[in-house]
Amino acid sequence: MRNQCASRTMAPRWWLLILCLAGNELHGRAQLDSRGFINIDCGLQGEESYVNDETKLVYVSDAGFTNSGTPYNISAENYRPWRSRNVRSLRSFPDGVRNCYTLGSLVSGLKYLFRATFLYGNYDGLNKRPATFDLYIGVNFWMVVNMSWWGLDQDNTATVEAIIVVPRDLVQVCLVNTGGGTPFISGLELRPLKMSLYPQAMVP
Ligand SMILES: *[C@@H]1O[C@H](CO)[C@@H](O)[C@H](O)[C@H]1NC(C)=O
Ligand SMILES: *[C@@H]1O[C@H](CO)[C@@H](O)[C@H](O)[C@H]1NC(C)=O
């Protein structure tokens, strides 16, 4: 596994650009743990949540955070026992240009670490070159996810991170189809970074 990270801190301009948030008022259920963490296992089916053996963090299904897309598991031949359970399933978005996750119950004005994880794992059985698509936080461009950058091997996990001051208690993370294949996402995690409001907050 190659696990590479790219980080980008967004400009304060972000405060002005919250229009995208108005459209979708879907709220996630029971999404915050005691430290204000949000751990979403995209495409998780059959149970609503579980505790990660190693980190003891609770991961929840993404069903309450988005109303589009299709859940998948990675193919059996790409299963690796040592890999985080978070990447065994994913949600793919074959329809529509822009598909979003709505994350609620955030503390407006607080700085958060956003982390998105991707593993193709031949989930569609097509054994094809992994997709490339754009990621947004609200209306702000976050980055291009180009799975080729993490290797043509479908077995590679990609993780991208951004640190952002959220302007509202509701934020959307959106995958935008740019014609490079069907966007998908395996995991989405948020960590509040300001210690004073969450004394035990840590980034594991
Ligand atoms: C993925 O695997 C889990 C556990 O075996 C199963 O409960 C779930 O239904 C599967 N999801 C899909 C989309 O097939
Ligand atoms: C993705 O990366 C590959 C390898 O660097 C490159 O050939 C391709 O043009 C990139 N695609 C996009 C849409 O940026």
Side-chain angles (χ1 to χ4, degrees):
M1 177 180 73
R2 279 196 344 205
N3 190 335
Q4 300 183 5
C5 293
S7 296
R8 176 188 294 242
T9 304
M10 300 196 114
R13 223 176 323 148
W14 207 81
W15 287 90
L16 301 171
L17 303 168
I18 56 173
L19 297 174
C20 155
L21 300 174
N24 186 345
E25 291 297 321
L26 184 71
H27 292 256
R29 306 165 249 137
Q31 60 190 43
L32 296 178
D33 76 1
S34 57
R35 291 159 292 192
F37 287 14
I38 300 176
N39 302 309
I40 300 173
D41 186 338
C42 303
L44 178 68
Q45 299 271 285
E47 59 192 314
E48 285 208 354
S49 67
Y50 62 85
V51 177
N52 178 291
D53 291 340
E54 265 176 49
T55 61
K56 305 300 174 205
L57 295 172
V58 175
Y59 281 76
V60 299
S61 160
D62 64 350
F65 300 89
T66 183
N67 48 21
S68 55
T70 311
Y72 284 94
N73 289 327
I74 60 168
S75 71
E77 75 268 15
N78 286 86
Y79 172 78
R80 303 285 178 272
W82 41 262
R83 202 149 44 199
S84 166
R85 184 171 168 190
N86 197 18
V87 297
R88 281 183 214 166
S89 64
L90 57 97
R91 182 174 293 267
S92 109
F93 297 96
D95 301 317
V97 171
R98 182 187 188 88
N99 286 281
C100 301
Y101 281 82
T102 303
L103 309 165
S105 306
L106 305 185
V107 179
S108 119
L110 204 62
K111 196 183 273 186
Y112 283 81
L113 172 74
F114 286 67
R115 181 186 296 147
T117 307
F118 309 88
L119 175 68
Y120 170 62
N122 194 22
Y123 74 85
D124 52 7
L126 299 176
N127 249 323
K128 66 184 178 194
R129 198 182 168 100
T132 176
F133 50 90
D134 286 354
L135 267 189
Y136 281 74
I137 298 181
V139 295
N140 288 79
F141 176 71
W142 178 356
M143 71 182 305
V144 175
V145 175
N146 183 342
M147 295 303 292
S148 304
W149 296 343
W150 287 277
L152 294 176
D153 181 353
Q154 300 154 359
D155 201 20
N156 287 331
T157 304
T159 301
V160 299
E161 295 185 342
I163 292 173
I164 295 188
V165 175
V166 304
R168 277 182 50 169
D169 60 358
L170 201 69
V171 165
Q172 286 196 315
V173 174
C174 302
L175 291 80
V176 175
N177 190 325
T178 53
T182 302
F184 69 92
I185 183 167
S186 306
L188 188 57
E189 294 160 87
L190 261 76
R191 304 273 181 271
L193 293 179
K194 192 170 158 191
M195 302 300 176
S196 56
L197 287 181
Y198 294 103
Q200 303 144 320
M202 280 185 292
V203 181

